[in-house]
Amino acid sequence: MKMETKEILTQVEQTWTLYRLENDQGMSVNFLNYGGIITDISVPDNDGQIENVVLRFKNYEDYISNPVFFGALVGRVAGRIKEASFYLNGQTYQLGKNERSHHLHGGQEGFHSRVWNVTPYENEQEIGAKLSLSSPAGDGGYPGNVEVEVTYILTNDNRFIIDYKAETDEVTPLTLTNHAYFNLSGGAKRTIDNHVCLIDSTKIAELDEELIPTGEWLDVNNTPFDFQNKKELKNVFTNETTQQKVASGGMDHYFKFNGEKESAIHLEDPESGRTLDVTTDQPGVVIYTSNSLPEGIKLLEGEARRHVGICLETQSSPASLHEKGFPDVLLSPENPYHKRTVFSFGKRR
């Protein structure tokens, strides 16, 4: 196993560091200290060809605005907070609005736009890096001083692990995730339409026209959102339903896990043979199928297009700040935050 670093000088006179983790099987993970942004995960296909399976910008400078959160660590709160406000312990907190009247993924200056401290490490079983960040009280409008540590870990059996920890001195909302867009075809040469997916979930959060949960749970059985058994993603793209239309022709929904299957999520690309299994101790996941990427975004592999990637945003639900019956996002001094998501890459047998 090995680690390499490279300095990236941006046009706005910021210098970032690009880290590359590589295991003994040839799998590698590249990420920036800026935003903890994952720019490359390269894994072999059935023929042993190693290619990148996440979307990345052609130009590093585009990560400064990064309106679609490519590859970024997202916080303090992943997801949408209705009307950019919440009520806690007798006080209303007002947050920055960055999607209509709502607060999305920590706001304009969330964790995705910070330079993280990075400490690399290596042992016999794995290679990795600890990314740390201090978020002071009032940051983005949130209460409490928060210390965050996220560890990226690459193992020799082609598992990429993201371990999240956080502590606070005051009760505050927090749920962290990574916003990588996966495309197992390699080099985004095809859309994800023919990717086969399984999600261990029978319930999704109903969304209104602005993608805010209504407070109701919908049963996925016998709907296009039913991925309890393996099926192609295009099934949800081509079957028009109210919820599919709300999400601009795909998924942008919170799925609550059943906890019944070995993997919370399974994804595979039949043509390349690459597979991805996701296990996590998070209660659910937002599945976003890049239904509305802005036109003209320049990827390393060409211009972005609809359904070119899928985000697997394991997390709790910020809807819990306004609605009952949703996984809680409140962090307290007595109960530090510790969550882990494992991405296991393999090949179809």
Side-chain angles (χ1 to χ4, degrees):
M1 292 184 283
K2 64 180 180 180
M3 173 180 289
E4 299 173 347
T5 61
K6 177 183 177 182
E7 284 196 348
I8 304 293
L9 180 62
T10 70
Q11 293 178 353
V12 293
E13 297 183 355
Q14 291 184 19
T15 301
W16 302 337
T17 302
L18 179 70
Y19 293 82
R20 174 183 169 84
L21 310 176
E22 184 176 336
N23 69 12
D24 295 336
Q25 315 305 319
M27 176 181 168
S28 63
V29 177
N30 291 9
F31 69 91
L32 294 166
N33 63 340
Y34 179 77
I37 292 167
I38 295 169
T39 63
D40 187 294
I41 298 179
S42 289
V43 295
D45 65 6
N46 267 358
D47 298 323
Q49 184 176 2
I50 296 175
E51 294 176 296
N52 176 31
V53 295
V54 294
L55 303 187
R56 62 149 291 183
F57 285 117
K58 180 178 180 180
N59 302 309
Y60 284 108
E61 285 78 11
D62 290 339
Y63 286 113
I64 296 171
S65 59
N66 200 3
V68 293
F69 300 91
F70 275 152
L73 287 175
V74 172
R76 286 188 187 187
V77 174
R80 295 173 175 86
I81 296 179
K82 182 180 179 180
E83 299 300 327
S85 68
F86 61 92
Y87 183 81
L88 179 64
N89 293 334
Q91 182 175 343
T92 297
Y93 291 89
Q94 201 67 47
L95 310 174
K97 299 176 182 179
N98 62 325
E99 190 184 65
R100 301 186 183 93
S101 61
H102 311 299
H103 178 84
L104 174 65
H105 292 330
Q108 194 68 36
E109 298 179 353
F111 292 174
H112 66 286
S113 64
R114 311 289 176 85
V115 175
W116 292 65
N117 297 312
V118 179
T119 305
Y121 77 93
E122 181 179 354
N123 57 41
E124 291 182 0
Q125 290 78 37
E126 62 194 36
I127 189 169
K130 294 183 178 181
L131 295 82
S132 59
L133 185 72
S134 296
S135 178
D139 189 11
Y142 292 96
N145 296 291
V146 174
E147 296 294 328
V148 183
E149 182 181 277
V150 179
T151 306
Y152 287 163
I153 304 164
L154 179 61
T155 68
N156 261 331
D157 56 356
N158 285 3
R159 290 184 302 146
F160 177 56
I161 302 166
I162 307 182
D163 190 85
Y164 303 90
K165 294 180 180 179
E167 295 183 348
T168 183
D169 60 359
E170 186 179 347
V171 176
T172 189
L174 183 136
T175 184
L176 306 175
T177 197
N178 182 274
H179 211 280
Y181 290 66
F182 292 95
N183 183 320
L184 299 181
S185 70
K189 64 175 68 72
R190 296 181 294 278
T191 66
I192 57 171
D193 289 53
N194 294 325
H195 277 38
V196 173
C197 186
L198 180 148
I199 307 170
D200 180 23
S201 175
T202 57
K203 301 288 184 183
I204 62 170
E206 183 183 50
L207 301 178
D208 67 16
E209 293 292 332
E210 295 191 350
L211 302 174
I212 299 297
T214 65
E216 299 297 323
W217 291 98
L218 300 178
D219 193 314
V220 302
N221 286 298
N222 302 313
T223 76
F225 292 83
D226 184 356
F227 286 90
Q228 296 172 85
N229 296 299
K230 294 180 183 179
K231 70 178 184 183
E232 294 178 327
L233 287 170
K234 66 183 178 185
N235 280 279
V236 78
F237 302 156
T238 56
N239 286 280
E240 291 191 356
T241 64
T242 299
Q243 286 298 293
Q244 186 253 25
K245 291 177 181 177
V246 162
S248 301
M251 293 186 281
D252 196 356
H253 292 75
Y254 188 83
F255 287 74
K256 184 163 61 174
F257 292 135
N258 299 328
E260 297 175 353
K261 298 185 185 297
E262 184 176 346
S263 298
I265 306 163
H266 174 83
L267 192 67
E268 60 185 65
D269 174 45
E271 191 165 337
S272 71
R274 293 186 181 93
T275 64
L276 170 59
D277 284 278
V278 180
T279 56
T280 185
D281 53 6
Q282 291 278 20
V285 62
V286 172
I287 302 284
Y288 174 57
T289 49
S290 52
N291 319 309
S292 51
L293 289 181
E295 290 185 8
I297 288 183
K298 289 184 168 46
L299 307 178
L300 187 64
E301 301 83 7
E303 287 200 0
R305 55 202 188 278
R306 291 189 80 208
H307 304 149
V308 72
I310 181 171
C311 297
L312 311 173
E313 305 164 51
T314 56
Q315 60 179 89
S316 285
S317 175
S320 61
L321 294 170
H322 295 273
E323 309 289 350
K324 295 181 179 179
F326 284 77
D328 189 23
V329 295
L330 291 183
L331 173 67
S332 69
E334 298 79 23
N335 295 294
Y337 183 88
H338 189 192
K339 298 292 183 181
R340 173 173 281 211
T341 297
V342 181
F343 302 89
S344 301
F345 293 90
K347 303 174 188 177
R348 292 186 74 184
R349 300 297 192 272

